[in-house]
């Protein structure tokens, strides 16, 4: 893709150089400060977005309140039809939106297009789900009584998303929330505001074409203060937040103080174990992609490589050869493997981590560095680094959102590696590379991996939308996307119907008057 195509891409997506950042669907407004969007590829300004004020926020709340009254009465399969049409709209604009994701976030063009494909996939999933929002029937202990459980929409679902997946994570939430009968309010990352404008334009078209009310899908751009408004607002029964553990703890405390629900997808200090029984060809490919894909800025990126002593020397040698072949540069050039970090703050965190690694003792397998020169404009390109560290190294406990891989050696049984994997505070994704069935089953047992995702012979990165996505411990415990994650977006109700001419009480209690 030629960056000169940017004006045409923005035009096709309905984005102006200066866009209004709040929307109820097709109505756009915003009276706050300007939020500038810069491409990490070369530092070029892509556009600016007007943020929302408290008054803008209240306008959105009024619109959502009205929309929810009508939308919740629409049969679920009809709501599924809305999501199906949104998926078709995404298919129509996949190339443009995927390119915008790459431009604004800095991930490779293939990954940008893949992120939009995730949106399409979750729309397909949610469309089918709209006919399967099932309850549960049980037998009553009282004669001529029927008991069952059913699920109802919550109301407003607030979605706070992160920069690294500027469109996909929003879609995971809203596609499910909409078929469940909820309306949604999206606060996107300040680092990717144009992506949010594009998505809201597309769903706005679908809502307009179907004569559905303003307010089903709402957007407000702004800084952390907007996220705080959402967390504090008693009118929002569920807040789904994706980001750092620090941010998630703040959201959880604020939402919990008002007894609201929070769905958290936070840090992931993920480990890949290479056992003595691993196929090293598979293992090395998984390790390298997991560590450097999206320049190490995925919540499922591989941070720790735990290698059996028998394979350690060969793994280290092959990692050095693989990293020597990495092509770092403009992610719009499909010949490159690694693009930039999101911004200069991320570069600073990367360099601080390198210093901390050295301060606590490590052997560089591949040393890190900030890359400079004509091929690396904007200052956000870095060398993916690998450090061999002792299991007690303090940096193993920290998640740095950058392409830094720690290699640790283990001996003996796979349980020793699992113990090393589990001793961090995060618990999102994990993987074991082994051709040994017993090792694999032990890794997946209840005394094995303590993560929400546990894989065998694939890496930590690259989840499919059909499974519930999320993790334990400081990852937050939330689940998004597939499986029965839809239940988080609904309230559960138990119903008992008496079709007798008497009023028997439960537990055999007698009460006569």
């Amino acid at each position: 893709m030629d960056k000169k195509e940017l004006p045409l891409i923005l035009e096709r997506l309905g984005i102006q150089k200066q866009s209004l950042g709040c929307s109820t669907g097709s109505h756009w407004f915003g009276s706050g400060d300007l939020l500038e969007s810069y491409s990490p590829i070369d530092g070029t300004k892509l556009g600016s977005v007007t943020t929302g004020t408290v008054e803008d926020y209240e306008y959105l709340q009024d619109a959502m309140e009205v929309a929810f009254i009508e939308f919740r009465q629409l049969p679920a399969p009809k709501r599924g039809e809305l999501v199906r049409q949104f998926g078709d709209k995404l298919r129509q604009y996949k190339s443009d939106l995927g390119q915008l994701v790459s431009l604004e976030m800095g991930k490779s063009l293939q990954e940008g297009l893949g992120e939009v494909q995730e949106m399409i996939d979750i729309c397909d999933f949610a469309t089918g789900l709209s006919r399967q929002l099932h309850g549960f029937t049980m037998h009553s202990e009282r004669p001529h009584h029927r008991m069952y459980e059913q699920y109802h929409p919550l109301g407003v679902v607030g979605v706070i998303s992160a920069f690294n997946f500027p469109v996909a994570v929003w879609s995971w939430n809203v596609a499910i929330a909409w078929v469940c009968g909820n309306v949604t309010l999206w606060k996107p990352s300040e680092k990717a505001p144009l992506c949010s404008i594009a998505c809201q334009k597309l769903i706005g078209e679908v809502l307009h074409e179907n004569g559905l009310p303003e307010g089903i899908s709402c957007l407000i751009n702004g800084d952390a203060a907007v996220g705080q408004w959402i967390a504090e607002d008693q009118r929002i029964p569920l807040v789904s937040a994706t980001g750092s553990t620090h941010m998630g703890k703040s959201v959880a405390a604020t939402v919990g103080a008002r007894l609201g629900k929070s769905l958290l997808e936070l840090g992931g200090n993920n480990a890949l174990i290479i056992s003595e029984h691993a196929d090293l060809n598979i293992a090395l490919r998984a390790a390298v992609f997991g560590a450097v894909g999206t320049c190490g800025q995925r919540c499922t990126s591989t941070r720790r490589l735990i290698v059996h002593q028998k394979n350690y020397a060969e793994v280290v040698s092959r990692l050095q050869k693989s990293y020597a072949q990495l092509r770092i540069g403009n992610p719009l050039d499909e010949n490159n493997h690694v693009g930039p970090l999101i911004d200069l703050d991320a570069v600073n965190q990367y360099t601080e981590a390198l210093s901390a690694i050295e301060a606590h003792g490590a052997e560089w397998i591949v040393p890190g560095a900030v890359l400079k020169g004509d091929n690396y404009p904007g200052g956000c390109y870095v060398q993916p680094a690998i450090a061999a560290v002792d299991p007690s190294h303090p940096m193993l406990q920290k998640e740095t959102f950058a392409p830094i891989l720690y290699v640790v050696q283990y001996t003996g049984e796979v349980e020793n590696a699992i113990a090393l994997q589990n001793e961090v505070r995060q618990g999102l994704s994990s993987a074991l590379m082994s051709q040994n069935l017993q090792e694999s089953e032990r890794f997946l047992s209840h005394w094995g991996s303590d993560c929400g995702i546990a894989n065998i012979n694939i890496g930590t990165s690259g989840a499919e939308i059909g499974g519930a996505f999320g993790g334990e411990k400081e990852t937050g415990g939330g689940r998004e996307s597939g499986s029965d994650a839809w239940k988080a977006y609904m309230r559960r109700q138990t119903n008992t119907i008496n079709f007798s001419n008497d009023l028997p009480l439960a537990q055999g209690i007698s009460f006569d008057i």
Side-chain angles (χ1 to χ4, degrees):
M1 182 190 112
D2 189 335
K3 189 140 179 290
K4 295 178 181 178
E5 296 179 31
L6 174 61
L8 296 176
I9 293 170
L10 297 179
E11 181 181 353
R12 288 192 292 266
L13 290 170
I15 300 174
Q16 300 174 343
K17 276 290 186 179
Q18 183 170 323
S19 299
L20 296 170
C22 302
S23 170
T24 58
S26 57
H27 178 210
W28 289 84
F29 55 98
S31 51
D33 297 331
L34 281 181
L35 177 62
E36 312 288 357
S37 174
Y38 295 92
S39 175
I41 295 173
D42 58 7
T44 299
K45 180 179 175 180
L46 301 175
S48 58
V49 172
T50 304
T51 59
T53 62
V54 172
E55 292 74 20
D56 297 328
Y57 179 85
E58 289 301 321
Y59 183 91
L60 292 169
Q61 280 290 357
D62 291 342
M64 289 187 293
E65 181 181 356
V66 173
F68 178 57
I69 293 172
E70 179 177 340
F71 193 52
R72 66 184 176 183
Q73 298 181 57
L74 195 68
K78 297 294 185 183
R79 300 193 297 257
E81 172 61 16
L82 164 71
V83 174
R84 186 196 67 79
Q85 292 181 32
F86 181 50
D88 284 347
K89 191 74 71 172
L90 290 169
R91 288 180 173 89
Q92 181 181 350
Y93 289 94
K94 178 180 176 179
S95 177
D96 287 330
L97 184 55
Q99 290 176 83
L100 179 61
V101 168
S102 297
L103 282 164
E104 192 168 38
M105 187 269 152
K107 62 177 57 177
S108 73
L109 181 56
Q110 284 193 359
E111 289 182 279
L113 295 172
E115 185 168 343
V116 181
Q117 186 60 49
E118 279 193 46
M119 302 176 76
I120 295 168
D121 292 343
I122 197 64
C123 286
D124 288 348
F125 178 91
T127 300
L129 177 66
S130 68
R131 295 180 182 271
Q132 300 180 66
L133 301 174
H134 51 77
F136 186 73
T137 301
M138 71 240 27
H139 289 279
S140 171
E141 68 182 61
R142 290 168 283 187
H144 302 114
H145 281 61
R146 181 164 67 90
M147 292 180 64
Y148 68 94
E149 293 179 347
Q150 61 178 331
Y151 291 84
H152 298 296
L154 288 168
V156 178
V157 173
V159 180
I160 301 172
S161 63
F163 75 87
N164 58 333
F165 282 85
V167 296
V169 172
W170 169 74
S171 72
W172 291 358
N173 283 276
V174 297
I176 305 298
W178 291 335
V179 299
C180 290
N182 302 294
V183 297
T184 59
L185 175 61
W186 183 18
K187 189 272 178 206
S189 169
E190 304 96 297
K191 299 180 181 182
L194 297 186
C195 286
S196 72
I197 303 294
C199 291
Q200 182 70 357
K201 292 275 188 182
L202 296 181
I203 186 59
E205 290 179 9
V206 176
L207 293 172
H208 178 74
E209 291 163 1
N210 286 270
L212 290 170
E214 294 276 336
I216 290 173
S217 175
C218 286
L219 169 70
I220 180 167
N221 272 280
D223 60 15
V226 178
Q228 189 69 16
W229 300 342
I230 292 172
E232 293 174 349
D233 197 335
Q234 294 189 7
R235 295 167 294 183
I236 302 180
L238 173 65
V239 178
S240 176
T242 302
S244 70
T245 297
H246 174 76
M247 179 276 292
K249 286 181 177 180
S250 174
V251 169
T254 304
V255 175
R258 61 176 175 84
L259 298 182
K261 294 182 176 182
S262 56
L263 194 166
L264 304 175
E265 299 293 348
L266 310 174
N269 191 358
N270 313 294
L272 186 149
I273 298 170
I274 299 180
S275 94
E276 61 181 309
H277 304 292
D279 180 327
L280 293 187
N281 291 324
I282 297 175
L284 267 296
R285 289 182 64 192
V288 173
F289 175 75
V292 308
T294 323
C295 201
Q297 297 172 111
R298 292 185 177 215
C299 53
T300 55
S301 290
T302 304
R303 311 288 179 199
R304 298 174 294 140
L305 196 61
I306 304 171
V307 185
H308 194 277
Q309 182 184 39
K310 291 183 178 179
N311 287 326
Y312 186 82
E314 184 176 354
V315 166
V316 167
S317 175
R318 292 179 65 172
L319 280 173
Q320 290 174 318
K321 291 178 181 177
S322 295
Y323 271 53
Q325 297 174 38
L326 289 176
R327 291 186 294 273
I328 305 166
N330 189 331
L332 303 178
D333 181 347
E334 295 190 54
N335 292 314
N336 290 327
H337 299 111
V338 184
L341 290 170
I342 185 64
D343 56 21
L344 295 177
D345 286 341
V347 175
N348 290 336
Q349 292 173 17
Y350 165 85
T351 56
E352 289 170 2
L354 296 183
S355 298
I357 292 167
E358 290 187 347
H360 292 94
E363 177 186 346
W364 289 112
I365 296 171
V366 178
V370 178
L371 302 177
K372 302 182 182 300
D374 293 341
N375 292 329
Y376 310 111
C380 293
Y381 293 88
V382 300
Q383 170 64 51
I386 307 176
V389 298
D390 184 88
S392 62
H393 199 289
M395 290 302 289
L396 288 172
Q397 297 293 326
K398 300 179 182 295
E399 181 191 28
T400 303
F401 233 50
I404 301 175
L405 180 65
Y406 304 102
V407 181
V408 180
Q409 188 173 175
Y410 82 96
T411 59
E413 298 297 315
V414 73
E415 279 80 4
N416 296 333
I418 295 171
L420 289 173
Q421 174 200 281
N422 291 350
E423 67 180 14
V424 299
R425 295 186 297 273
Q426 305 86 354
L428 178 52
S429 187
S430 59
L432 169 68
M433 295 294 166
S434 176
Q435 300 296 309
N436 183 288
L437 178 61
Q438 289 182 329
E439 279 191 338
S440 299
E441 290 295 337
R442 279 142 65 188
F443 181 75
L444 300 177
S445 69
H446 62 270
W447 62 87
S449 171
D450 65 359
C451 297
I453 299 169
N455 297 328
I456 302 293
N457 292 325
I458 61 172
T460 62
S461 191
E464 297 182 29
I465 60 92
F469 181 89
E472 301 302 319
K473 302 189 289 188
E474 286 195 355
T475 301
R479 294 296 185 274
E480 294 172 328
S481 194
S483 185
D484 66 347
W486 62 271
K487 293 180 180 178
Y489 301 87
M490 305 195 84
R491 60 181 176 89
R492 187 171 180 170
Q493 184 182 78
T494 300
N495 307 111
T496 306
I497 302 170
N498 177 7
F499 56 95
S500 74
N501 295 318
D502 199 1
L503 187 66
L505 301 178
Q507 295 84 45
I509 295 174
S510 177
F511 181 74
D512 296 322
I513 57 172

